[in-house]
Amino acid sequence: MRAGEEPTDFYSHSFDAGAAWAQMALQATVLGYHAHGMTGIEFDKARVELGLPGDIRLEAAVALGRRDAPERLPEGLREREVPSSRKDVAEIALAGNYR
Ligand SMILES: Cc1cc2nc3c(=O)[nH]c(=O)nc-3n(C[C@H](O)[C@H](O)[C@H](O)COP(=O)(O)O)c2cc1C
């Protein structure tokens, strides 16, 4: 946006944020960290904590850290540390139109 211009919504915002997150996750892995994307956060609280201006949309949060042994997790979280299943590609992608 140039100085003096009225701000407008960017239609591609979510697409751009997704691309940025993917690069962040890859770079974290390269550096020996792990990244965990989340939308199950308290958006209103996060806005206040971060002091976000009204024209900035908070899309998601990312936790960055190093992996540790699941045994060190509190009970209740430990048992969740198992590989999750993956849907077949045919279930999540289609060729052509929806109809
Ligand atoms: C749009 C979106 C929102 C997500 N939100 C959360 C979240 O709020 N909390 C969480 O623990 N994981 C969340 N996840 C899941 C993790 O970021 C991650 O994708 C998942 O743990 C992948 O694990 P897996 O590789 O074992 O399947 C979200 C994933 C997506 C795509």
XYZ file of all heavy atoms in Angstrom:
791
model
N 0.835 -1.188 0.000
C 0.000 0.000 0.000
C 0.876 1.246 0.000
O 1.826 1.341 0.764
C -0.901 -0.045 1.248
C -1.930 1.035 1.270
S -3.047 0.864 2.682
C -2.002 1.476 3.985
N 0.525 2.199 -0.842
C 1.298 3.448 -0.900
C 0.764 4.449 0.122
O -0.402 4.381 0.512
C 1.208 4.038 -2.296
C 1.865 3.157 -3.342
C 2.119 3.932 -4.626
N 2.715 3.040 -5.605
C 2.003 2.396 -6.548
N 0.715 2.561 -6.642
N 2.598 1.584 -7.401
N 1.615 5.398 0.512
C 1.202 6.422 1.471
C -0.027 7.161 0.950
O -0.095 7.496 -0.231
C 2.354 7.392 1.711
N -1.006 7.356 1.823
C -2.207 8.092 1.449
C -3.308 7.221 0.877
O -4.439 7.661 0.743
N -3.014 6.001 0.541
C -4.035 5.098 -0.015
C -4.879 4.499 1.107
O -4.375 4.231 2.191
C -3.378 3.944 -0.781
C -2.979 4.296 -2.189
C -2.413 3.077 -2.915
O -2.699 1.937 -2.521
O -1.668 3.296 -3.886
N -6.141 4.273 0.802
C -7.024 3.598 1.756
C -6.672 2.112 1.792
O -6.469 1.507 0.735
C -8.489 3.752 1.314
C -9.106 5.080 1.694
C -9.189 5.258 3.213
O -9.765 4.375 3.885
O -8.657 6.269 3.714
N -6.585 1.524 2.984
C -6.314 0.078 3.019
C -7.482 -0.729 2.463
O -8.642 -0.348 2.643
C -6.126 -0.213 4.518
C -6.697 0.943 5.238
C -6.733 2.107 4.301
N -7.190 -1.782 1.761
C -8.235 -2.680 1.246
C -7.913 -4.102 1.699
O -6.753 -4.427 1.970
C -8.275 -2.674 -0.302
O -6.961 -2.949 -0.798
C -8.743 -1.338 -0.846
N -8.946 -4.920 1.786
C -8.729 -6.319 2.178
C -8.002 -7.055 1.059
O -8.341 -6.898 -0.116
C -10.062 -7.013 2.432
C -10.719 -6.497 3.708
O -10.023 -5.877 4.511
O -11.927 -6.723 3.867
N -7.027 -7.869 1.444
C -6.345 -8.718 0.464
C -7.047 -10.064 0.411
O -7.121 -10.768 1.408
C -4.872 -8.928 0.846
C -3.971 -7.850 0.336
C -3.337 -6.998 1.222
C -3.757 -7.690 -1.019
C -2.506 -6.002 0.762
C -2.922 -6.691 -1.487
C -2.295 -5.836 -0.595
N -7.571 -10.406 -0.746
C -8.284 -11.671 -0.902
C -7.355 -12.852 -0.623
O -7.782 -13.891 -0.152
C -8.860 -11.745 -2.324
C -9.767 -12.910 -2.535
C -11.075 -12.881 -2.057
C -9.326 -14.052 -3.183
C -11.925 -13.950 -2.234
C -10.169 -15.138 -3.362
C -11.462 -15.073 -2.892
O -12.298 -16.145 -3.059
N -6.052 -12.689 -0.929
C -5.112 -13.816 -0.833
C -4.482 -13.946 0.549
O -3.543 -14.716 0.725
C -4.007 -13.650 -1.876
O -3.243 -12.489 -1.584
N -5.001 -13.205 1.536
C -4.332 -13.188 2.836
C -4.130 -14.589 3.426
O -3.038 -14.941 3.875
C -5.120 -12.320 3.820
C -4.468 -12.216 5.153
N -4.724 -13.104 6.172
C -3.522 -11.367 5.605
C -3.983 -12.786 7.214
N -3.241 -11.740 6.901
N -5.184 -15.397 3.431
C -5.076 -16.738 4.021
C -4.085 -17.602 3.245
O -3.336 -18.385 3.825
C -6.440 -17.428 4.042
O -7.303 -16.737 4.895
N -4.116 -17.443 1.928
C -3.185 -18.201 1.081
C -1.740 -17.809 1.422
O -0.868 -18.672 1.593
C -3.501 -17.867 -0.383
C -2.716 -18.653 -1.395
C -3.091 -19.940 -1.730
C -1.624 -18.089 -2.023
C -2.375 -20.659 -2.680
C -0.904 -18.800 -2.958
C -1.281 -20.092 -3.293
N -1.483 -16.526 1.535
C -0.134 -16.038 1.852
C 0.307 -16.495 3.239
O 1.454 -16.896 3.445
C -0.092 -14.506 1.792
C -0.415 -13.987 0.404
O -0.275 -14.759 -0.558
O -0.819 -12.816 0.296
N -0.622 -16.412 4.203
C -0.289 -16.824 5.565
C 0.033 -18.319 5.591
O 0.963 -18.756 6.279
C -1.446 -16.510 6.515
N -0.709 -19.104 4.828
C -0.450 -20.543 4.763
C 0.915 -20.840 4.158
O 1.651 -21.706 4.640
N 1.258 -20.078 3.105
C 2.564 -20.279 2.465
C 3.693 -19.899 3.439
O 4.702 -20.601 3.541
C 2.655 -19.445 1.193
N 3.488 -18.798 4.172
C 4.514 -18.344 5.120
C 4.691 -19.359 6.240
O 5.810 -19.686 6.639
C 4.125 -16.975 5.690
N 3.560 -19.879 6.715
C 3.625 -20.875 7.799
C 4.377 -22.128 7.340
O 5.190 -22.681 8.061
C 2.206 -21.200 8.276
C 1.958 -22.658 8.523
C 1.182 -23.497 7.799
C 2.510 -23.454 9.583
N 1.221 -24.765 8.329
C 2.029 -24.758 9.428
C 3.370 -23.183 10.640
C 2.372 -25.793 10.281
C 3.726 -24.221 11.492
C 3.217 -25.511 11.313
N 4.102 -22.562 6.112
C 4.749 -23.774 5.595
C 6.260 -23.579 5.533
O 7.028 -24.475 5.903
C 4.193 -24.110 4.214
N 6.683 -22.390 5.078
C 8.124 -22.112 5.006
C 8.731 -22.071 6.409
O 9.843 -22.542 6.640
C 8.383 -20.779 4.287
C 7.873 -20.735 2.861
C 8.432 -21.851 2.000
O 9.620 -22.151 2.044
N 7.583 -22.484 1.224
N 7.980 -21.489 7.345
C 8.469 -21.420 8.725
C 8.658 -22.819 9.305
O 9.663 -23.113 9.969
C 7.482 -20.640 9.595
C 7.957 -20.459 11.016
S 6.613 -20.043 12.124
C 6.373 -18.348 11.708
N 7.697 -23.691 9.029
C 7.773 -25.059 9.547
C 8.976 -25.796 8.951
O 9.698 -26.511 9.658
C 6.474 -25.803 9.240
N 9.211 -25.589 7.662
C 10.361 -26.239 7.015
C 11.672 -25.707 7.592
O 12.592 -26.469 7.901
C 10.319 -26.004 5.503
C 9.220 -26.733 4.734
C 9.174 -26.267 3.289
C 9.429 -28.239 4.804
N 11.746 -24.373 7.735
C 12.979 -23.770 8.261
C 13.227 -24.214 9.712
O 14.361 -24.476 10.096
C 12.891 -22.239 8.190
C 14.170 -21.522 8.594
C 15.328 -21.802 7.638
O 15.118 -22.055 6.461
N 16.547 -21.785 8.162
N 12.155 -24.312 10.487
C 12.298 -24.774 11.870
C 12.917 -26.169 11.879
O 13.831 -26.448 12.662
C 10.927 -24.790 12.557
N 12.429 -27.022 10.996
C 12.956 -28.396 10.940
C 14.426 -28.391 10.549
O 15.236 -29.109 11.151
C 12.131 -29.234 9.934
O 10.757 -29.156 10.312
C 12.567 -30.680 9.934
N 14.785 -27.554 9.580
C 16.190 -27.448 9.150
C 17.069 -27.050 10.336
O 18.192 -27.534 10.493
C 16.327 -26.419 8.000
C 17.787 -26.048 7.766
C 15.711 -26.964 6.717
N 16.539 -26.170 11.192
C 17.314 -25.665 12.330
C 17.221 -26.561 13.567
O 17.737 -26.218 14.629
C 16.842 -24.246 12.692
C 17.071 -23.185 11.611
C 16.429 -21.862 12.010
C 18.566 -22.984 11.351
N 16.534 -27.684 13.441
C 16.463 -28.625 14.557
C 15.286 -28.390 15.486
O 15.242 -28.936 16.587
N 14.353 -27.551 15.065
C 13.148 -27.299 15.869
C 11.954 -27.983 15.218
O 12.060 -28.525 14.113
C 12.869 -25.788 15.957
C 13.897 -25.044 16.759
C 15.037 -24.517 16.157
C 13.733 -24.853 18.133
C 15.986 -23.833 16.898
C 14.674 -24.169 18.879
C 15.800 -23.663 18.249
O 16.737 -22.997 18.976
N 10.826 -27.892 15.905
C 9.576 -28.377 15.336
C 8.532 -27.280 15.473
O 8.555 -26.514 16.437
C 9.115 -29.659 16.026
C 9.993 -30.814 15.684
N 9.794 -31.588 14.566
C 11.098 -31.279 16.282
C 10.738 -32.495 14.496
N 11.550 -32.328 15.529
N 7.644 -27.223 14.518
C 6.604 -26.194 14.506
C 5.242 -26.858 14.537
O 5.031 -27.899 13.908
C 6.743 -25.338 13.253
N 4.315 -26.248 15.273
C 2.974 -26.817 15.417
C 1.956 -25.711 15.213
O 1.830 -24.811 16.049
C 2.863 -27.432 16.824
C 1.610 -28.196 17.063
N 1.506 -29.552 16.855
C 0.397 -27.789 17.488
C 0.272 -29.945 17.155
N -0.414 -28.901 17.546
N 1.273 -25.760 14.093
C 0.280 -24.733 13.782
C -1.009 -24.963 14.561
O -1.408 -26.100 14.788
N -1.642 -23.865 14.986
C -2.865 -23.978 15.788
C -3.858 -22.867 15.451
O -3.470 -21.717 15.301
C -2.530 -23.845 17.285
C -1.587 -24.887 17.807
S -1.043 -24.513 19.487
C 0.036 -23.118 19.219
N -5.126 -23.246 15.373
C -6.177 -22.229 15.320
C -7.087 -22.341 16.539
O -7.996 -21.528 16.694
C -7.030 -22.344 14.035
O -7.499 -23.677 13.924
C -6.225 -21.966 12.803
N -6.833 -23.334 17.375
C -7.602 -23.479 18.614
C -7.023 -22.615 19.713
O -6.631 -23.117 20.769
N -6.955 -21.334 19.444
C -6.385 -20.403 20.420
C -7.440 -19.361 20.811
O -8.477 -19.265 20.173
C -5.138 -19.682 19.854
C -5.514 -18.887 18.602
C -4.018 -20.678 19.576
C -4.446 -17.913 18.160
N -7.153 -18.585 21.841
C -8.082 -17.525 22.250
C -7.721 -16.269 21.456
O -6.865 -15.488 21.870
C -7.988 -17.319 23.748
C -8.418 -18.560 24.517
C -8.412 -18.358 26.015
O -9.347 -17.747 26.537
O -7.443 -18.809 26.649
N -8.389 -16.119 20.326
C -8.028 -15.046 19.389
C -8.158 -13.659 20.017
O -7.277 -12.817 19.835
C -8.880 -15.155 18.116
C -8.401 -16.219 17.176
C -8.869 -17.502 17.263
C -7.449 -15.919 16.216
C -8.408 -18.502 16.413
C -6.979 -16.900 15.346
C -7.472 -18.187 15.451
N -9.235 -13.441 20.752
C -9.439 -12.107 21.341
C -8.344 -11.775 22.342
O -7.799 -10.674 22.346
C -10.818 -12.037 22.015
C -11.943 -12.078 20.995
O -11.671 -11.790 19.800
O -13.080 -12.388 21.379
N -8.008 -12.764 23.195
C -6.951 -12.543 24.187
C -5.612 -12.303 23.504
O -4.836 -11.440 23.903
C -6.818 -13.777 25.094
C -7.605 -13.705 26.366
C -7.126 -14.817 27.273
C -8.053 -14.980 28.453
N -7.706 -16.146 29.269
N -5.333 -13.118 22.471
C -4.060 -12.997 21.754
C -3.926 -11.625 21.106
O -2.857 -11.020 21.120
C -3.938 -14.101 20.708
N -5.032 -11.130 20.564
C -5.015 -9.789 19.941
C -4.570 -8.743 20.954
O -3.743 -7.880 20.667
C -6.410 -9.409 19.431
C -6.901 -10.132 18.228
C -8.037 -9.355 17.576
N -7.507 -8.160 16.948
C -7.009 -8.131 15.712
N -7.005 -9.230 14.981
N -6.529 -7.031 15.216
N -5.139 -8.847 22.162
C -4.831 -7.871 23.214
C -3.367 -8.023 23.639
O -2.615 -7.046 23.727
C -5.785 -8.061 24.424
C -5.355 -7.174 25.586
C -7.222 -7.774 24.009
N -2.948 -9.265 23.902
C -1.572 -9.525 24.344
C -0.548 -9.004 23.342
O 0.494 -8.472 23.703
C -1.345 -11.032 24.550
C -1.991 -11.590 25.785
C -1.414 -11.006 27.070
O -0.185 -10.813 27.142
O -2.215 -10.716 27.980
N -0.867 -9.190 22.058
C 0.074 -8.780 21.008
C -0.083 -7.315 20.621
O 0.727 -6.776 19.859
C -0.121 -9.662 19.758
C 0.192 -11.146 19.946
C -0.300 -11.941 18.751
C 1.691 -11.360 20.147
N -1.134 -6.683 21.123
C -1.391 -5.282 20.782
C -1.646 -5.080 19.299
O -1.184 -4.101 18.702
N -2.396 -6.013 18.700
C -2.623 -5.946 17.250
C -3.579 -4.814 16.878
O -4.659 -4.692 17.463
C -3.214 -7.265 16.742
C -2.291 -8.466 16.675
C -3.009 -9.634 16.017
C -1.021 -8.146 15.913
N -3.222 -3.988 15.907
C -4.161 -2.977 15.417
C -5.368 -3.643 14.746
O -5.281 -4.794 14.298
C -3.344 -2.186 14.385
C -2.023 -2.830 14.282
C -1.949 -3.998 15.211
N -6.482 -2.928 14.685
C -7.736 -3.490 14.184
C -7.690 -3.977 12.754
O -8.472 -4.830 12.357
N -6.782 -3.435 11.933
C -6.765 -3.836 10.520
C -5.819 -5.013 10.260
O -5.561 -5.359 9.114
C -6.400 -2.647 9.612
C -5.022 -2.095 9.916
O -4.481 -2.388 11.010
O -4.478 -1.378 9.059
N -5.302 -5.615 11.318
C -4.453 -6.807 11.162
C -5.265 -8.024 11.586
O -5.778 -8.071 12.697
C -3.177 -6.721 12.047
C -2.321 -5.518 11.670
C -2.375 -8.018 11.972
C -1.616 -5.621 10.337
N -5.399 -8.983 10.682
C -6.164 -10.198 10.995
C -5.232 -11.257 11.582
O -4.192 -11.565 10.992
C -6.829 -10.734 9.727
C -7.706 -11.948 9.966
C -8.295 -12.419 8.638
N -8.391 -13.860 8.616
C -9.487 -14.525 8.990
N -10.540 -13.883 9.393
N -9.505 -15.840 8.939
N -5.609 -11.775 12.731
C -4.839 -12.866 13.340
C -5.352 -14.170 12.755
O -6.515 -14.533 12.941
C -5.013 -12.841 14.862
C -4.270 -13.887 15.662
C -2.771 -13.834 15.403
C -4.551 -13.706 17.151
N -4.498 -14.867 12.040
C -4.919 -16.039 11.268
C -4.750 -17.335 12.043
O -5.602 -18.211 11.993
C -4.080 -16.109 9.991
C -4.601 -17.012 8.929
C -5.705 -16.364 8.110
O -5.684 -15.147 7.906
O -6.587 -17.104 7.679
N -3.630 -17.467 12.728
C -3.313 -18.708 13.444
C -2.124 -18.444 14.358
O -1.521 -17.372 14.313
C -2.965 -19.813 12.444
N -1.807 -19.425 15.166
C -0.625 -19.330 16.024
C 0.282 -20.516 15.720
O -0.175 -21.550 15.222
C -1.028 -19.354 17.493
N 1.554 -20.347 16.001
C 2.520 -21.429 15.773
C 3.374 -21.593 17.023
O 3.934 -20.608 17.523
C 3.438 -21.116 14.573
C 4.455 -22.236 14.373
C 2.623 -20.898 13.305
N 3.423 -22.804 17.548
C 4.326 -23.111 18.662
C 5.615 -23.660 18.065
O 5.584 -24.537 17.200
C 3.682 -24.144 19.580
N 6.741 -23.113 18.509
C 8.047 -23.582 18.043
C 8.814 -24.146 19.230
O 8.807 -23.552 20.310
C 8.857 -22.418 17.465
C 8.447 -21.892 16.097
C 9.214 -20.619 15.788
C 8.715 -22.929 15.020
N 9.449 -25.269 19.042
C 10.222 -25.833 20.147
C 11.009 -27.041 19.709
O 11.058 -27.374 18.524
N 11.647 -27.639 20.693
C 12.400 -28.857 20.418
C 11.635 -30.048 20.973
O 10.974 -29.942 22.003
C 13.774 -28.787 21.078
C 14.693 -27.787 20.419
C 16.117 -27.997 20.897
N 16.964 -26.901 20.492
C 17.532 -26.789 19.295
N 17.350 -27.719 18.382
N 18.290 -25.752 19.015
N 11.757 -31.159 20.291
C 11.083 -32.372 20.742
C 11.765 -32.924 21.982
O 12.971 -32.785 22.161
C 11.132 -33.427 19.647
C 10.104 -33.157 18.601
C 9.802 -34.414 17.844
N 8.646 -34.161 16.986
C 8.347 -34.863 15.921
N 9.090 -35.879 15.583
N 7.289 -34.579 15.196
N 10.975 -33.570 22.815
C 11.523 -34.228 23.989
C 10.829 -35.586 24.125
O 9.932 -35.905 23.340
C 11.294 -33.357 25.229
C 12.304 -33.659 26.337
O 12.943 -34.737 26.291
O 12.444 -32.832 27.238
N 11.240 -36.334 25.126
C 10.669 -37.671 25.298
C 9.223 -37.555 25.771
O 8.939 -36.791 26.696
C 11.492 -38.445 26.315
N 8.295 -38.324 25.167
C 6.893 -38.280 25.598
C 6.721 -38.618 27.070
O 5.784 -38.149 27.708
C 6.204 -39.329 24.716
C 7.157 -39.672 23.640
C 8.523 -39.228 24.055
N 7.647 -39.406 27.623
C 7.561 -39.798 29.039
C 7.590 -38.578 29.959
O 7.146 -38.633 31.101
C 8.727 -40.727 29.432
C 8.781 -42.045 28.687
C 9.305 -41.923 27.267
O 10.323 -41.237 27.088
O 8.680 -42.478 26.333
N 8.127 -37.481 29.476
C 8.224 -36.281 30.319
C 6.926 -35.469 30.322
O 6.806 -34.505 31.065
C 9.382 -35.412 29.832
C 10.719 -36.136 29.982
C 11.870 -35.231 29.726
N 11.774 -34.030 30.580
C 12.664 -33.062 30.589
N 13.721 -33.144 29.814
N 12.527 -32.012 31.364
N 5.986 -35.857 29.483
C 4.706 -35.140 29.428
C 3.811 -35.562 30.581
O 3.881 -36.700 31.055
C 3.989 -35.461 28.108
C 4.516 -34.795 26.862
C 3.901 -35.448 25.629
C 4.232 -33.302 26.874
N 2.935 -34.667 31.022
C 1.974 -35.057 32.055
C 0.997 -36.092 31.512
O 0.734 -36.129 30.306
C 1.240 -33.752 32.387
C 1.722 -32.726 31.448
C 2.816 -33.281 30.604
N 0.469 -36.885 32.429
C -0.526 -37.880 32.042
C -1.694 -37.156 31.376
O -2.055 -36.052 31.771
C -1.021 -38.614 33.291
C -1.307 -40.072 33.042
C -1.582 -40.812 34.329
O -0.679 -40.788 35.203
O -2.673 -41.361 34.435
N -2.265 -37.771 30.378
C -3.361 -37.109 29.669
C -2.861 -36.552 28.347
O -3.607 -36.469 27.386
N -1.614 -36.140 28.322
C -1.025 -35.665 27.068
C -0.141 -36.737 26.454
O -0.016 -36.852 25.253
C -0.174 -34.402 27.302
C -0.912 -33.132 27.697
C 0.072 -32.000 27.953
C -1.902 -32.726 26.597
N 0.466 -37.545 27.349
C 1.417 -38.583 26.918
C 0.801 -39.532 25.892
O 1.385 -39.800 24.854
C 1.849 -39.373 28.149
C 3.229 -39.921 28.091
C 3.581 -40.577 29.396
N 3.443 -39.690 30.544
C 3.103 -40.081 31.778
N 2.870 -41.344 32.036
N 3.013 -39.205 32.747
N -0.424 -39.991 26.189
C -1.047 -40.997 25.328
C -1.453 -40.437 23.965
O -1.785 -41.179 23.062
C -2.247 -41.661 26.013
C -3.227 -40.729 26.660
C -2.855 -40.414 28.110
O -1.676 -40.539 28.488
O -3.776 -40.012 28.853
N -1.414 -39.106 23.843
C -1.749 -38.508 22.535
C -0.563 -38.530 21.575
O -0.705 -38.217 20.399
C -2.208 -37.068 22.735
C -3.551 -36.980 23.434
C -3.915 -35.561 23.791
N -3.916 -34.673 22.635
C -4.193 -33.372 22.690
N -4.508 -32.820 23.824
N -4.165 -32.630 21.609
N 0.605 -38.855 22.090
C 1.825 -38.835 21.271
C 1.995 -40.106 20.460
O 2.921 -40.880 20.675
C 3.047 -38.578 22.152
C 3.104 -37.175 22.692
C 3.097 -36.117 21.589
O 3.947 -36.166 20.695
O 2.211 -35.243 21.631
N 1.071 -40.312 19.564
C 1.143 -41.451 18.645
C 0.904 -40.905 17.236
O 0.216 -39.894 17.070
C 0.087 -42.542 18.976
C 0.433 -43.251 20.267
C -1.312 -41.940 19.045
N 1.508 -41.546 16.231
C 1.294 -41.049 14.867
C -0.183 -41.031 14.515
O -0.910 -41.969 14.837
C 2.053 -42.062 13.986
C 2.978 -42.775 14.910
C 2.329 -42.742 16.265
N -0.615 -39.930 13.900
C -2.020 -39.864 13.492
C -2.175 -40.496 12.110
O -1.228 -40.534 11.322
C -2.518 -38.424 13.496
O -1.600 -37.575 12.848
N -3.378 -40.967 11.833
C -3.606 -41.648 10.551
C -3.710 -40.617 9.430
O -3.921 -39.436 9.671
C -4.880 -42.479 10.636
O -5.950 -41.636 10.947
N -3.546 -41.022 8.237
C -3.646 -40.146 7.068
C -4.753 -40.653 6.145
O -4.854 -41.855 5.887
C -2.316 -40.142 6.291
C -1.183 -39.468 7.025
C -1.398 -37.961 7.038
N -0.289 -37.250 7.646
C -0.216 -36.904 8.932
N -1.169 -37.270 9.764
N 0.804 -36.219 9.387
N -5.567 -39.731 5.657
C -6.600 -40.114 4.699
C -5.954 -40.416 3.361
O -4.910 -39.846 3.019
C -7.601 -38.971 4.525
C -8.501 -38.768 5.706
C -9.501 -37.662 5.433
C -10.425 -37.500 6.628
N -11.302 -36.340 6.495
N -6.611 -41.254 2.603
C -6.166 -41.534 1.260
C -6.309 -40.257 0.424
O -7.239 -39.472 0.640
C -7.047 -42.646 0.667
C -6.429 -43.219 -0.586
O -5.518 -44.051 -0.469
O -6.860 -42.792 -1.687
N -5.384 -40.039 -0.510
C -5.436 -38.829 -1.348
C -6.800 -38.691 -2.023
O -7.350 -37.589 -2.135
C -4.305 -38.844 -2.404
C -4.473 -37.694 -3.387
C -2.941 -38.750 -1.724
N -7.370 -39.802 -2.422
C -8.673 -39.763 -3.103
C -9.767 -39.168 -2.213
O -10.778 -38.674 -2.698
C -9.069 -41.167 -3.546
N -9.554 -39.180 -0.891
C -10.555 -38.622 0.034
C -10.417 -37.115 0.187
O -11.348 -36.446 0.641
C -10.383 -39.242 1.429
C -10.924 -40.631 1.575
C -10.805 -41.085 3.031
O -11.506 -40.534 3.898
O -9.957 -41.964 3.286
N -9.246 -36.557 -0.152
C -9.025 -35.134 0.110
C -8.763 -34.316 -1.156
O -8.620 -33.099 -1.076
C -7.849 -34.934 1.095
C -6.562 -35.569 0.553
C -8.188 -35.488 2.478
C -5.320 -35.178 1.302
N -8.671 -34.971 -2.308
C -8.423 -34.246 -3.551
C -9.329 -34.803 -4.639
O -9.683 -35.989 -4.624
C -6.959 -34.402 -3.970
N -9.746 -33.931 -5.547
C -10.585 -34.415 -6.650
C -10.158 -33.748 -7.944
O -9.605 -32.652 -7.937
C -12.068 -34.159 -6.372
C -12.516 -32.706 -6.237
C -13.047 -32.187 -7.572
C -13.587 -32.603 -5.178
N -10.407 -34.432 -9.030
C -10.116 -33.875 -10.353
C -11.398 -33.286 -10.908
O -12.476 -33.845 -10.712
C -9.598 -34.986 -11.273
N -11.316 -32.127 -11.552
C -12.491 -31.511 -12.155
C -13.296 -30.696 -11.168
O -12.794 -30.287 -10.134
N -14.575 -30.485 -11.478
C -15.448 -29.655 -10.650
C -16.063 -30.461 -9.513
O -16.066 -31.684 -9.553
C -16.576 -29.076 -11.502
C -16.039 -28.160 -12.581
O -14.888 -27.717 -12.510
N -16.849 -27.894 -13.575
N -16.626 -29.730 -8.565
C -17.334 -30.396 -7.481
C -18.609 -31.070 -7.996
O -19.026 -32.085 -7.482
C -17.694 -29.384 -6.383
C -16.623 -29.283 -5.327
C -15.697 -28.252 -5.333
C -16.533 -30.237 -4.303
C -14.717 -28.156 -4.372
C -15.566 -30.152 -3.330
C -14.659 -29.106 -3.360
O -13.686 -29.038 -2.396
N -19.259 -30.441 -8.960
C -20.523 -31.009 -9.458
C -20.287 -31.819 -10.716
O -19.375 -31.622 -11.456
C -21.519 -29.887 -9.754
C -22.083 -29.336 -8.470
C -23.091 -28.239 -8.726
N -22.370 -26.976 -8.849
C -22.622 -26.054 -9.800
N -23.532 -26.292 -10.693
N -21.969 -24.933 -9.843
C -5.971 -25.212 10.240
C -5.346 -26.057 11.334
C -5.538 -25.714 12.650
C -4.974 -26.465 13.679
N -5.168 -26.103 14.962
C -4.619 -26.827 15.953
C -4.819 -26.467 17.325
O -5.493 -25.505 17.641
N -4.202 -27.217 18.265
C -3.469 -28.303 17.947
O -2.949 -28.945 18.843
N -3.274 -28.676 16.660
C -3.826 -27.973 15.666
N -3.652 -28.339 14.362
C -2.898 -29.562 14.058
C -1.410 -29.366 14.087
O -0.940 -28.134 13.713
C -0.741 -30.369 13.167
O -1.179 -30.154 11.868
C -1.051 -31.731 13.550
O -0.716 -31.906 14.872
C -0.292 -32.634 12.623
O 0.012 -33.728 13.338
P 0.278 -35.063 12.604
O 1.402 -34.805 11.669
O 0.607 -36.003 13.702
O -0.998 -35.401 11.900
C -4.191 -27.579 13.340
C -3.985 -27.920 12.005
C -4.551 -27.170 11.017
C -4.321 -27.544 9.566
